[in-house]
Amino acid sequence: MFRFANPEMLYLLAALPVAVVIYIVARVVRRRRLNRFGNPQTLRLLMPEASSWRNGFKFFIWAVAFVLVIFAAARPQVGSKLSEKKSRGIEMVLAIDVSNSMLADDFEPSRLERTKYAVDKLIDRLEQEHIGVVVFAGEAQVQLPVTSDYRMAKAFVKRISPSLVSVQGTAVGSAIETSILTFSPESGNSRAIILITDGETHDANALDAASYAAGEGIRIFTIGIGTPEGAPIHLGDDYIRDENGEMVVSKLDEGMLQSIAAATQGAYVRATRQSIGLDEIVSEINAIEQRELSVVRFDEYDEKYPYLLWTALVLLVVEVLVFGHRNPLLARFDIFTRRRGAKD
């Protein structure tokens, strides 16, 4: 298996086209300036040591070395040892509401940002659990399939936003159905869904989906985020308003969330400004019978960046040794010029 340990370093390759453009512009400007002094053929006779192609060759060597250094900084690695590890744990899917109502600011800076912060901290505490992420509004989408790669999970959670789902609404039933499909076949009854939403839904399918999940041995834990008195929804530079121009106030609706949790022998927790409730939920989840899960991964990677660095170093040494003009000391060896009498 091949991978880059620091793939973000590859963005530096974007600087190469800029360097090429700068080099070309500099050569054009230099040529125009020389042409002001006189005929190019005369100038070549006056400056026999000048060599335009050498400068181009030096730039080419530098560019190749630059690319190699960037690839080295990205740390290319090749997996050398494949192993299958066994661990006892559960699979949990976080179904996170990303509808516009989650932008209400009764939780600072917003319900959604507060949720993302809490989920990020939860992932830091996971050890053997496998985690997946589903986002939903008027429809549900898998943001991250169930995985044990916590680093990847944290990266995907940071990118959660209302723009991920184009259809507005709060399709809780669709979120539950999509979450069920995200679990791996071998997870058995060691499965749990954590549903985080403000509960503002008129989805009649939600309880049916919860009943189906219960039949599959999946427990659903619900977290209601928001306040009963509600808060306006900040979108862009203004608040969302109704057809009368009045600000829309989003209020927490706990009834549906409590019913879903009860139908699956889960639990409902109301989030507070001090705690979203994930710690309480995870304590409940740890009581679920844990199943032996397998993870196939590369445990050892061979670092390949030293080869790139050594090659880049050699190229830079060559670039320094190649003069930008003909070397008078080497002129007698006639290395860089064609021999007299050679055919064109």
Side-chain angles (χ1 to χ4, degrees), residues 1-10 13 67-68 70-79 151 301 303-305 308:
M1 179 179 176
F2 178 82
R3 73 171 188 177
F4 287 105
N6 302 319
E8 64 277 3
M9 300 301 296
L10 296 177
L13 290 172
V67 171
L68 292 176
I70 291 177
F71 275 103
R75 291 180 58 197
Q77 300 175 332
V78 176
R151 181 180 177 183
Y301 287 88
E303 296 280 0
K304 300 301 181 182
Y305 73 88
L308 299 177

Side-chain angles (χ1 to χ4, degrees), residues 5 16 19 26 58 106 186 224-225 227 245 249 289 299 311 329:
L16 183 60
K58 285 169 65 68
D106 46 1
E186 67 272 11
I225 182 167
T227 55
V249 176
E289 178 185 358
D299 284 334
T311 304
L329 299 176

Side-chain angles (χ1 to χ4, degrees), residues 90-92 126 128-133 144-154 156 182 295 297:
I90 64 169
E91 289 188 358
M92 65 174 71
L126 298 180
Q128 296 183 343
E129 296 84 359
H130 292 192
I131 186 172
V133 179
L144 175 69
V146 172
T147 180
S148 60
D149 189 338
Y150 298 145
R151 181 180 177 183
M152 180 185 297
K154 288 170 69 70
F156 273 81
T182 307
V295 181
R297 65 180 63 180

Side-chain angles (χ1 to χ4, degrees), residues 239-249:
Y239 291 94
I240 296 180
R241 301 178 183 274
D242 59 19
E243 61 274 9
N244 299 321
E246 300 293 331
M247 286 192 301
V248 175
V249 176

Side-chain angles (χ1 to χ4, degrees), residues 132-146:
V133 179
V134 169
V135 295
F136 69 96
E139 60 184 13
Q141 297 181 6
V142 177
Q143 173 74 354
L144 175 69
V146 172

